[in-house]
Amino acid sequence: MLHITIVGMGLIGTSLGMALRSANRMESPLGPTTIMGYDRDSRATATAWAQQAIDRQARDLKEALYRAELVILAIPAQALPELFAAMAPLLASGSVITDVISTKVQVLEWAHTLLPETVDFVGGHPMAGKEQSGAAAAEAGLFKGALYCLTPSPQACQEAIQLVEGMVRQVGATPYYIDPHEHDMYVAGVSHLPFLLSTLLVEVTSHNSNWHAMAHLAATGFRDISRLASGDPEMHRDICITNRAAITHWVGEMITLLCDVHKQLERDEGEELLALFDRARTARNHWLATRHARRPDATVFDLQYQDYLRAP
Amino acid sequence: MLHITIVGMGLIGTSLGMALRSANRMESPLGPTTIMGYDRDSRATATAWAQQAIDRQARDLKEALYRAELVILAIPAQALPELFAAMAPLLASGSVITDVISTKVQVLEWAHTLLPETVDFVGGHPMAGKEQSGAAAAEAGLFKGALYCLTPSPQACQEAIQLVEGMVRQVGATPYYIDPHEHDMYVAGVSHLPFLLSTLLVEVTSHNSNWHAMAHLAATGFRDISRLASGDPEMHRDICITNRAAITHWVGEMITLLCDVHKQLERDEGEELLALFDRARTARNHWLATRHARRPDATVFDLQYQDYLRAP
């Protein structure tokens, strides 16, 4: 019986519990499991329990970590250093810790500094989510078919990595080993820049003195491009703070492009703008058409994983 | 029997034909109609006919406009001046012309200069669409429940305006009278700025040397925020060219905001960023929750329409 503890009963933590418990136990790579849930807000823990995301509710961190073999941390990034410090004296030797936070370099540094050497840390980031937050929005199928990035600490042992990989497969996701620096730079472009643009679109329009009249004309295009602005503000803030350098890079690139467009709008007869819209449509449609076909399969992960472990 | 002609068998023109023909003729504000369709590309006209969007196919503009009482122009903005000039000698006195183009000031200027004084022009802009283009993507229900902006020429007679309003109601949309300058400025913010941001997100990421690896990590957030980048490049170019001033204004505002965020990422401990994400979430959720309730009803349109006609 594998003892799993999930700390943080928000959208991701609760969804992971639901996915783990609803998986076919006969085919589970983890074997029989029991899941303990804990959140500082005991109402969130109760909601998760009512949704059958966890087997038992812990009243405090000590109870949560008692006998835990695999600990999944699904809390905001900014709360992680304090939690690591509080967990350190409570963790059994040989236990495996993973997280679900969207930035990985900073998290691995904190794990290295704050966790005891007797435990193994394997960073994780499921490429799934939705703009609602909280246990009540959780879904067992949230991770089905999604990529799940894994960034093991260089000190993590093979068994620890395999345990986390088993958890990833059990929730229906595909493990994807990646260098943490590359992860943070890429995700800043395809995930963090989008929520910033979404937020700034809402900011720039809703602060206009004519917003009340404009709002009538906002239709499906506005609705979709602004969707990520409804995401959890604290999560977005934490991502910005823990991935400053990479996000700053992409924001700088976007400013350059917008300044180009500003100039083109003034002087261009339309040729440069047409070329821009053509390129973007082609690139987006190609991505859309090939995104599932191009997805690397398990063999590639293994190779990539070997490369990653060999890297200095 | 009202003779309607639709010029341009793309997504909007074909969808309008389908919506007009599938409307309940017993309740139609227009009475019995017959719809002639014309496109320079005769295959598009044939596709529209096969989709039951039109009753008859015209082989040339002269045939298309013969006996036409209401002419709906659903073509790219850049093609409009040439079409107005070609139509001018063919139009019967008293016929009513409308369009579906996303910018209105420029279109009204062209209509004033190029159309004969014996016809009435009522500008139109349905607030509906999708990223696919062409007759094959058309849907009879595309305009159901959508706002449909109307900007009558100051010279248009009451009957002409009522005829176009009847057409709008028959396709299931809600007429919304608005000053053309306000229309262009508002739509630039809630519709044109979004497709530019969507396009630039794809441009900035897909031109990165690591795009091949990044593309694996792009998930639903990227998919949704980049959706409008798949729209018709020529339509986007035409919108930029015919609504330069308003779009330039919003691009400038967006550059200012992005520069603010760039600075905040460097120095902020997270308070300003948190406030930004909080404000945007509140504004977006409020818009989402109230957008249908706040929609002005027909009485308000009538009042607004009176105001608009009284305006100097």
Side-chain angles (χ1 to χ4, degrees):
Chain A
M1 179 70 80
L2 178 72
H3 287 74
I4 301 177
T5 292
I6 304 175
V7 179
M9 296 281 101
L11 171 71
I12 300 292
T14 308
S15 296
L16 281 173
M18 290 165 79
L20 285 168
R21 292 190 76 246
S22 67
N24 183 341
R25 301 205 171 200
M26 302 300 289
E27 294 175 11
S28 162
L30 297 178
T33 60
T34 178
I35 301 179
M36 174 77 93
Y38 173 65
D39 197 292
R40 283 203 295 197
D41 176 359
S42 57
R43 287 167 303 185
T45 319
T47 304
W49 186 78
Q51 284 175 291
Q52 306 193 29
I54 54 178
D55 295 293
R56 283 176 305 141
Q57 305 178 50
R59 280 158 302 182
D60 55 35
L61 192 60
K62 191 174 173 189
E63 186 183 352
L65 299 179
Y66 175 71
R67 294 185 67 190
E69 292 157 283
L70 172 60
V71 182
I72 304 170
L73 305 176
I75 62 162
Q78 295 271 75
L80 201 57
E82 197 184 321
L83 180 64
F84 274 161
M87 286 167 65
L90 303 170
L91 289 167
S93 173
S95 57
V96 178
I97 323 296
T98 187
D99 75 308
V100 301
I101 289 165
S102 308
T103 57
K104 298 269 64 82
V105 173
Q106 176 72 74
V107 167
L108 283 164
E109 279 173 17
W110 283 334
H112 182 68
T113 319
L114 299 167
L115 290 179
E117 287 180 13
T118 54
V119 305
D120 286 304
F121 185 78
V122 179
H125 177 211
M127 305 304 296
K130 50 183 190 175
E131 69 271 31
Q132 296 98 319
S133 50
E139 293 174 27
L142 193 62
F143 311 101
K144 202 131 273 173
L147 277 201
Y148 198 122
C149 293
L150 292 177
T151 59
S153 145
Q155 291 81 39
C157 71
Q158 186 75 26
E159 290 71 26
I161 296 169
Q162 278 168 354
L163 184 66
V164 177
E165 183 174 319
M167 182 276 289
V168 168
R169 293 194 190 279
Q170 185 151 334
V171 301
T174 308
Y176 186 69
Y177 292 95
I178 183 167
D179 173 87
H181 291 91
E182 286 180 3
H183 170 277
D184 286 5
M185 184 54 83
Y186 299 170
V187 168
V190 296
S191 172
H192 306 162
L193 180 62
F195 78 64
L196 261 176
L197 292 178
S198 207
T199 298
L200 294 181
L201 171 65
V202 175
E203 175 82 353
V204 80
T205 47
S206 67
H207 270 62
N208 190 283
S209 57
N210 294 309
W211 169 239
H212 184 76
M214 284 169 68
H216 295 314
L217 302 185
T220 52
F222 183 83
R223 184 196 63 201
D224 291 355
I225 308 306
S226 68
R227 181 175 72 83
L228 300 179
S230 289
D232 182 10
E234 294 190 8
M235 186 183 73
H236 286 164
R237 186 262 325 261
D238 285 4
I239 289 172
C240 288
I241 297 300
T242 55
N243 202 15
R244 283 178 201 268
I247 297 176
T248 302
H249 164 82
W250 290 106
V251 168
E253 297 266 294
M254 185 55 69
I255 292 170
T256 306
L257 275 189
L258 273 166
C259 290
D260 288 350
V261 166
H262 201 272
K263 278 182 215 132
Q264 285 167 19
L265 282 166
E266 275 173 8
R267 61 148 201 257
D268 183 27
E269 287 310 303
E271 287 188 21
E272 287 177 79
L273 287 165
L274 181 62
L276 166 70
F277 292 126
D278 248 333
R279 275 198 308 276
R281 178 164 77 163
T282 304
R284 201 240 176 196
N285 290 355
H286 183 257
W287 170 75
L288 216 51
T290 59
R291 59 195 282 239
H292 294 299
R294 271 183 317 171
R295 177 160 291 184
D297 59 24
T299 318
V300 179
F301 296 139
D302 293 342
L303 285 172
Q304 198 182 351
Y305 166 55
Q306 300 296 337
D307 289 348
Y308 173 57
L309 287 191
R310 269 199 299 273
Chain B
M1 179 70 77
L2 177 72
H3 286 74
I4 300 177
T5 292
I6 304 176
V7 179
M9 295 282 103
L11 172 71
I12 300 294
T14 309
S15 296
L16 280 173
M18 290 165 79
L20 285 169
R21 291 191 75 246
S22 68
N24 183 340
R25 301 204 171 203
M26 301 302 288
E27 295 174 9
S28 161
L30 297 179
T33 60
T34 177
I35 301 178
M36 174 76 94
Y38 172 64
D39 196 291
R40 283 203 296 195
D41 176 358
S42 58
R43 288 167 303 184
T45 318
T47 304
W49 186 77
Q51 285 175 292
Q52 307 194 27
I54 53 178
D55 296 292
R56 283 176 305 141
Q57 306 177 49
R59 279 158 302 182
D60 54 36
L61 192 60
K62 190 175 175 188
E63 186 184 352
L65 298 179
Y66 176 71
R67 292 186 66 188
E69 291 158 285
L70 172 60
V71 182
I72 304 171
L73 305 176
I75 61 161
Q78 295 273 78
L80 201 58
E82 197 186 321
L83 180 65
F84 274 161
M87 285 167 65
L90 303 170
L91 288 168
S93 174
S95 57
V96 178
I97 322 295
T98 186
D99 75 309
V100 300
I101 289 165
S102 308
T103 57
K104 299 268 64 85
V105 173
Q106 175 73 75
V107 167
L108 283 164
E109 279 173 19
W110 284 332
H112 182 67
T113 319
L114 299 167
L115 290 179
E117 285 180 16
T118 53
V119 305
D120 285 305
F121 185 78
V122 180
H125 177 212
M127 304 306 295
K130 50 183 188 174
E131 68 272 30
Q132 296 99 318
S133 50
E139 292 174 28
L142 193 63
F143 311 101
K144 202 131 271 172
L147 277 200
Y148 199 123
C149 293
L150 292 178
T151 59
S153 145
Q155 290 81 37
C157 71
Q158 185 76 24
E159 290 72 25
I161 296 169
Q162 276 167 354
L163 183 67
V164 177
E165 182 174 319
M167 182 277 289
V168 168
R169 293 194 190 280
Q170 185 150 335
V171 301
T174 308
Y176 186 71
Y177 291 94
I178 184 167
D179 173 88
H181 290 91
E182 286 180 5
H183 170 277
D184 286 4
M185 183 55 84
Y186 299 169
V187 167
V190 296
S191 171
H192 306 163
L193 181 62
F195 78 64
L196 261 176
L197 292 178
S198 207
T199 298
L200 294 181
L201 171 64
V202 174
E203 174 82 352
V204 79
T205 48
S206 67
H207 270 61
N208 190 282
S209 57
N210 295 308
W211 169 240
H212 185 76
M214 284 169 66
H216 295 313
L217 302 184
T220 50
F222 183 83
R223 184 197 62 202
D224 291 355
I225 308 305
S226 68
R227 181 174 73 82
L228 300 180
S230 289
D232 182 11
E234 294 189 9
M235 186 182 73
H236 286 163
R237 187 263 325 262
D238 285 3
I239 289 172
C240 288
I241 298 299
T242 55
N243 202 15
R244 284 178 201 267
I247 298 176
T248 301
H249 163 81
W250 290 106
V251 168
E253 297 265 295
M254 185 56 68
I255 292 170
T256 305
L257 275 189
L258 273 166
C259 290
D260 288 350
V261 166
H262 201 272
K263 280 184 213 130
Q264 286 167 19
L265 282 167
E266 275 173 9
R267 59 149 203 258
D268 183 27
E269 286 311 301
E271 287 188 20
E272 286 177 78
L273 287 164
L274 181 63
L276 166 68
F277 293 126
D278 248 335
R279 276 198 307 276
R281 178 163 78 163
T282 304
R284 200 235 177 202
N285 290 354
H286 183 257
W287 171 73
L288 216 50
T290 59
R291 59 194 283 236
H292 293 301
R294 269 184 318 173
R295 176 161 291 185
D297 59 24
T299 318
V300 179
F301 295 139
D302 293 342
L303 285 172
Q304 198 183 348
Y305 166 56
Q306 300 297 336
D307 288 348
Y308 173 57
L309 287 193
R310 268 200 300 271

